[in-house]
C-alpha cells in the first residue's frame, strides 16, 4: 500500500516523498490503523523493518501543534537510538509545526532543560536522563496522549524496569501505550502486558525468527587462532562495512589495538567513551567514513546502518535475543547481509539453543563441531 492512499496530510506526505518513502513497509501497513485509532499495541517486527516511521507518522498526525505541551513520549534504551529516533521524526515532521526533541545522558542537561521549557510536542528519551528531568520538576506529562516503548523487551529488563515503571506512573491519565520490539522473551511478555490495556498484537516475525536476508556463518576455533582467522575472513570477504561485536569494553579495546595495525579505516565504540566521541563515531560509520567498527552491545539495538554488509561476533552472544539484535544491523530493508560468529568449545550448548530457537541454518567455515552439517562450506582460498 502507498502512503498517499491513506488519509495522511499533504505536509507529511511531501516529507515522506522527499525521504523516498512511497510504499509502506509491512509493519507500517499493519500498525497504522491501530495506532491511529488510539488502541494499545504490542508489535513485534524484525529490526530494520521501518518501526520508527510506523510510530512516528500517526503520532505526528495526532499531535496538536497549537497545544504547547508534551503529547507523545518515546522511551528508548540507548543514547544513539534516541538520536536516531528523533532524527527520523524531525524529517517526517519537517513541514509541520510539530516539535520533536530528544533528551539523553552525556549531553549538557541545562541545554536540554532550556529547550524543553521552550516547548516540545514529542519527547524522545533515555530513561536515566528523563528521570533526572522529572526530579528537576521541569517536565509535565499532563498532556501525554501516547507513550511508546521502543526496544520494549530491553526496557522491561531488570536494570531498566524500575525506571520505566516510575516514568509510566507519572502519566496519570488515560493514554495509549505502544510497545515495539524485535524480540520478546516469555518472561518479559508478562511485564509488557501489565503496561497495556486491551492491546492489539501484531507479530511479523512469528514464522521465522532470524531474517532471511542474513546468511549465518560460524567458525569453530581455538580462541588463540581467532585473530588470524578474523584477518583472513575480512581480507577474503567483499566487505562494504563490518560491525564487530565483543562482550566487554576491555575486549573491544584489545581487539581494536590488534586490528588497527592491519586496517586503517577502523574505530571502536563502547559506553566507556564520552558522548561526543560516541556520536561522532556513529556519524562517521553511518556516513561510511569508517569501514570497520568494533563495538560493545550499545551498538546492537535498533541502530540503522544501511551499508553494513557483515556483522561479526568476536565473542559469542549471551543469548538468542542478543544474536538477533547484533546481526540485525545487517541485511536491513531487504538487502543481503552476512553474520559471522566465532564459536569455541564452551559456546557449543548456547550455539545449539541459538540454532534451534532462531531456526538458523548454519554455514560452517571449516569444521562443524555439531556434526550436523555434512557439506562444509570451507574457507575461500
Ligand atoms: P527502522 O526499522 O525504523 O530502523 O527503519 C529501517 C530503515 O528503513 C531506515 O533506514 C528507514 O529510513 C527506512 N524506511 C522506513 N520506512 C520506509 C519506507 N516506507 N520506505 C523506504 N524506506 C523506509
Amino acid at each position: 500500500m502507498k502512503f498517499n492512499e491513506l488519509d495522511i496530510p499533504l505536509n507529511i506526505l511531501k516529507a515522506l516523498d522527499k525521504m523516498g518513502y512511497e510504499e509502506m513497509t509491512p509493519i507500517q501497513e499493519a500498525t497504522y490503523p491501530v495506532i491511529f485509532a488510539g488502541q494499545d499495541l504490542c508489535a513485534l517486527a524484525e529490526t530494520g523493518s521501518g518501526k520508527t516511521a510506523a510510530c512516528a507518522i500517526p503520532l505526528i498526525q495526532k499531535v496538536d501543534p497549537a497545544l504547547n505541551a508534551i503529547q507523545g513520549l518515546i522511551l528508548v534504551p540507548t543514547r544513539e537510538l534516541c538520536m536516531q529516533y528523533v532524527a527520523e521524526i524531525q524529517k517526517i515532521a519537517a513541514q509541520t509545526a510539530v516539535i520533536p526533541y530528544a533528551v539523553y545522558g552525556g549531553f549538557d542537561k541545562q541545554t536540554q532543560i532550556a529547550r524543553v521549557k521552550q516547548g516540545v510536542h514529542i519527547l524522545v528519551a533515555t530513561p536515566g536522563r528523563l528521570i533526572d528531568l522529572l526530579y528537576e520538576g521541569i517536565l509535565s506529562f499532563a498532556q501525554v496522549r501516547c507513550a511508546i516503548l521502543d526496544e520494549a523487551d530491553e526496557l522491561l529488563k531488570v536494570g531498566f524496569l524500575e525506571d520505566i515503571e516510575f516514568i509510566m506512573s507519572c502519566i496519570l491519565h488515560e493514554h495509549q501505550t505502544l510497545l515495539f520490539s524485535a524480540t520478546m522473551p516469555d518472561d518479559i511478555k508478562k511485564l509488557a502486558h501489565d503496561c497495556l490495556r486491551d492491546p492489539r498484537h501484531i507479530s511479523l516475525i512469528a514464522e521465522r525468527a532470524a531474517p532471511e536476508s542474513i546468511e549465518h556463518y560460524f567458525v569453530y576455533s581455538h580462541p588463540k587462532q581467532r585473530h588470524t582467522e578474523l584477518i583472513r575472513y575480512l581480507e577474503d570477504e567483499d566487505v562494504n562495512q563490518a560491525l564487530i561485536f565483543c562482550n566487554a569494553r576491555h575486549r573491544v579495546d584489545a581487539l581494536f589495538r590488534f586490528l588497527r595495525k592491519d586496517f586503517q579505516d577502523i574505530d571502536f565504540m563502547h559506553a566507556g567513551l564520552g558522548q561526543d566521541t560516541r556520536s561522532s563515531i556513529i556519524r562517521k560509520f553511518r556516513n561510511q567514513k569508517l569501514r570497520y567498527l568494533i563495538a560493545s552491545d550499545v551498538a546492537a539495538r535498533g541502530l540503522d546502518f544501511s551499508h553494513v554488509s557483515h556483522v561479526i561476533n568476536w565473542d559469542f552472544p549471551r543469548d538468542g535475543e542478543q544474536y538477533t539484535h547484533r546481526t540485525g544491523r545487517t541485511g536491513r530493508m531487504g538487502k543481503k547481509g552476512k553474520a559471522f560468529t566465532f564459536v569455541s568449545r564452551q559456546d557449543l550448548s548456547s550455539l545449539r539453543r541459538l540454532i534451534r530457537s532462531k531456526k538458523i541454518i548454519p554455514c560452517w567455515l571449516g569444521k562443524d563441531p555439531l556434526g550436523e552439517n555434512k557439506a562444509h562450506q570451507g574457507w575461500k582460498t
Side-chain angles (χ1 to χ4, degrees):
M1 194 179 206
K2 289 189 175 16
F3 286 108
N4 62 14
E5 292 172 53
L6 294 168
D7 202 12
I8 297 178
L10 203 59
N11 53 359
I12 297 182
L13 282 179
K14 277 192 189 153
L16 293 174
D17 188 52
K18 204 165 160 202
M19 293 163 79
Y21 296 8
E22 190 185 334
E23 288 282 341
M24 300 179 94
T25 66
I27 191 70
Q28 290 163 358
E29 201 168 325
T31 56
Y32 183 86
V34 180
I35 302 177
F36 197 68
Q39 275 186 279
D40 280 11
L41 171 70
C42 180
L44 293 184
E46 273 163 16
T47 182
S49 57
K51 284 184 284 177
T52 319
C55 284
I57 298 167
L59 183 59
I60 294 166
Q61 274 184 267
K62 282 152 153 271
V63 165
D64 173 7
L67 178 63
N68 187 2
I70 300 167
Q71 297 167 54
L73 176 66
I74 299 161
L75 299 173
V76 295
T78 68
R79 298 167 182 181
E80 283 72 22
L81 206 47
C82 199
M83 289 183 244
Q84 178 178 296
Y85 213 111
V86 83
E88 178 97 342
I89 303 181
Q90 274 160 350
K91 281 193 226 154
I92 301 173
Q95 303 188 31
T96 72
V98 173
I99 303 169
Y101 187 62
V103 294
Y104 47 84
F107 186 84
D108 181 50
K109 194 157 72 177
Q110 293 314 319
T111 309
Q112 292 177 345
I113 291 177
R115 187 65 198 78
V116 169
K117 279 184 176 166
Q118 278 172 24
V120 167
H121 297 119
I122 299 177
L123 189 68
V124 190
T126 51
R129 177 54 58 94
L130 188 70
I131 288 178
D132 270 4
L133 299 189
L134 281 167
Y135 284 157
E136 301 252 352
I138 56 132
L139 290 178
S140 163
F141 288 166
Q143 298 296 335
V144 170
R145 295 284 167 259
C146 179
I148 299 172
L149 304 191
D150 189 50
E151 303 291 337
D153 60 326
E154 181 71 8
L155 290 174
L156 297 173
K157 273 188 192 152
V158 178
F160 272 128
L161 183 60
E162 260 184 38
D163 289 354
I164 300 299
E165 283 174 342
F166 173 69
I167 292 166
M168 298 302 273
S169 73
C170 295
I171 313 176
L172 298 173
H173 53 273
E174 221 174 76
H175 59 278
Q176 177 183 27
T177 307
L178 312 174
L179 302 190
F180 272 79
S181 193
T183 50
M184 184 64 71
D186 284 342
D187 51 334
I188 303 288
K189 223 176 254 168
K190 165 144 188 353
L191 290 170
H193 273 244
D194 294 345
C195 305
L196 299 168
R197 196 172 24 94
D198 193 17
R200 282 283 305 276
H201 291 269
I202 292 178
S203 174
L204 299 182
I205 51 174
E207 294 306 315
R208 51 194 171 83
E212 278 173 359
S213 53
I214 303 173
E215 290 174 324
H216 302 268
Y217 290 89
F218 294 85
V219 64
Y220 182 58
S221 66
H222 194 280
K224 281 192 181 145
Q225 284 156 4
R226 261 184 212 184
H227 290 88
T228 322
E229 281 169 352
L230 178 60
I231 289 193
R232 177 148 66 129
Y233 182 72
L234 292 176
E235 286 174 349
D236 274 358
E237 284 287 308
D238 188 10
V239 173
N240 187 40
Q241 278 191 303
L243 192 48
I244 306 168
F245 283 105
C246 303
N247 286 355
R249 292 179 196 180
H250 71 273
R251 306 266 305 158
V252 172
D253 294 336
L255 187 58
F256 175 67
R257 278 197 300 276
F258 173 76
L259 282 182
R260 78 170 162 191
K261 288 186 256 156
D262 290 277
F263 298 91
Q264 261 129 43
D265 33 6
I266 187 165
D267 213 329
F268 72 98
M269 195 188 89
H270 54 58
L273 298 177
Q275 189 54 44
D276 286 351
T277 314
R278 269 166 75 168
S279 304
S280 138
I281 290 167
I282 293 280
R283 208 166 29 247
K284 278 204 246 164
F285 192 61
R286 195 170 270 150
N287 296 335
Q288 299 194 78
K289 302 259 164 29
L290 290 173
R291 190 149 170 223
Y292 307 97
L293 180 63
I294 308 171
S296 66
D297 284 283
V298 285
R301 282 216 171 227
L303 288 186
D304 181 34
F305 300 122
S306 25
H307 304 288
V308 172
S309 53
H310 292 71
V311 167
I312 295 163
N313 287 309
W314 175 250
D315 292 319
F316 200 83
R318 193 179 56 231
D319 53 30
E321 267 61 48
Q322 193 173 52
Y323 184 87
T324 306
H325 287 293
R326 286 180 176 184
T327 56
R329 298 314 100 215
T330 186
R332 292 172 74 80
M333 291 304 281
K335 286 187 189 165
K336 289 277 174 208
K338 284 186 181 176
F340 177 70
T341 301
F342 283 98
V343 180
S344 54
R345 194 200 296 262
Q346 72 264 27
D347 304 320
L348 287 180
S349 53
S350 310
L351 173 71
R352 276 196 196 88
R353 267 198 308 279
L354 171 73
I355 288 174
R356 209 174 30 244
S357 67
K358 298 291 166 194
K359 302 189 178 73
I360 286 169
I361 303 170
C363 303
W364 286 97
L365 292 173
K367 181 176 182 238
D368 169 7
L370 305 179
E372 288 160 7
N373 190 1
K374 298 287 179 265
H376 294 166
Q377 188 78 18
W379 289 95
K380 267 202 260 170
T381 51

